[in-house]
Amino acid sequence: DQQVKQNSPSLSVQEGRISILNCDYTNSMFDYFLWYKKYPAEGPTFLISISSIKDKNEDGRFTVFLNKSAKHLSLHIVPSQPGDSAVYFCAASAIGGTSYGKLTFGQGTILTVHP
Amino acid sequence: DADVTQTPRNRITKTGKRIMLECSQTKGHDRMYWYRQDPGLGLQLIYYSFDVKDINKGEISDGYSVSRQAQAKFSLSLESAIPNQTALYFCATSDSLLAGKQFFGPGTRLTVL
């Protein structure tokens, strides 16, 4: 059973516009969420995270929103740039207990930003 | 220099062969992880280690084994490789205080013929 789902395999956006990537989770024990970005031939790199005590976290052009009741989070990129073209992975973790640090990843969304 | 390195970067092998993938880190982190990535499936956790004496199975450990030789080194072995182990393999590290924020190596592309 996929506990973290990214239902859009790909997203295409024009440069300067907003990119919105979505992620849903089913495990109510998850309380820490992260987004990773991956370029071809490289490992994923950490982008932004959010704890379940918040509903929004912002870092420059990147904002993550968390809706706990809907078990949904989204990543907003404004404005989108061609260099943002990459695969974006959503990940979730449970801070408490022995499983802290174990990440469960979504399938990834390929973002293409056109000039 | 890269903080998390993986060797080899690419490997082609035959069914039944023993393969070892190696990971080294200079970040001083105590936690290390092995993932595999298959198209459309994201990253799946194979094994993880929270310190040198701690080894834990992940979601898909069957057919794999690991060794934590030192704090900085974590190797993944395929005792008898099979074609459906063809995938991209990533090593990652994290600090125990910020365990969710993991740092990944560049990956090893393994092909089993």
Side-chain angles (χ1 to χ4, degrees):
Chain A
D1 181 33
Q2 191 91 22
Q3 297 186 66
V4 178
K5 294 182 181 179
Q6 294 175 254
N7 292 317
S8 298
S10 63
L11 176 67
S12 183
V13 171
Q14 206 68 31
E15 181 178 6
R17 306 294 289 267
I18 185 171
S19 295
I20 300 176
L21 295 95
N22 294 301
C23 179
D24 296 296
Y25 62 97
T26 57
N27 189 338
S28 57
M29 298 300 292
F30 289 149
D31 52 10
Y32 185 59
F33 304 90
L34 309 92
W35 284 93
Y36 282 81
K37 174 175 159 179
K38 183 185 179 305
Y39 291 119
E42 296 181 11
T45 56
F46 170 79
L47 188 58
I48 192 169
S49 64
I50 187 166
S51 163
S52 60
I53 62 173
K54 294 184 174 182
D55 53 19
K56 176 183 174 181
N57 189 27
E58 195 171 350
D59 183 2
R61 295 185 298 113
F62 303 91
T63 303
V64 56
F65 295 91
L66 175 63
N67 182 334
K68 290 185 289 293
S69 60
K71 294 189 175 67
H72 177 84
L73 64 154
S74 60
L75 175 68
H76 293 210
I77 306 174
V78 184
S80 300
Q81 300 173 353
D84 296 328
S85 297
V87 180
Y88 289 79
F89 291 100
C90 169
S93 178
I95 292 181
T98 58
S99 61
Y100 177 43
K102 283 181 59 181
L103 294 181
T104 301
F105 283 85
Q107 309 95 309
T109 296
I110 301 171
L111 173 66
T112 304
V113 180
H114 298 284
Chain B
D1 287 339
D3 295 317
V4 184
T5 57
Q6 293 183 234
T7 55
R9 293 293 313 276
N10 289 282
R11 182 71 184 267
I12 300 174
T13 190
K14 294 182 178 180
T15 297
K17 293 291 187 181
R18 184 177 187 275
I19 293 294
M20 180 180 286
L21 309 183
E22 298 186 343
C23 177
S24 295
Q25 53 116 346
T26 58
K27 298 189 75 66
H29 288 165
D30 48 357
R31 298 182 176 210
M32 298 187 74
Y33 312 80
W34 275 105
Y35 292 91
R36 67 176 274 176
Q37 183 189 6
D38 297 280
L41 291 180
L43 286 86
Q44 296 174 278
L45 184 63
I46 306 172
Y47 270 96
Y48 61 103
S49 169
F50 283 177
D51 64 43
V52 175
K53 297 181 181 178
D54 176 78
I55 301 287
N56 303 281
K57 293 183 177 180
E59 304 163 315
I60 54 164
S61 59
D62 287 347
Y64 301 94
S65 63
V66 291
S67 174
R68 184 83 184 264
Q69 301 94 324
Q71 187 194 35
K73 296 185 182 295
F74 193 35
S75 60
L76 175 72
S77 294
L78 288 68
E79 296 300 326
S80 180
I82 56 177
N84 75 0
Q85 290 177 315
T86 293
L88 198 50
Y89 290 85
F90 290 102
C91 173
T93 74
S94 69
D95 180 86
S96 57
L97 294 178
L98 290 172
K101 183 177 177 180
Q102 297 181 10
F103 295 82
F104 285 80
T108 294
R109 184 167 295 281
L110 177 66
T111 303
V112 184
L113 302 176

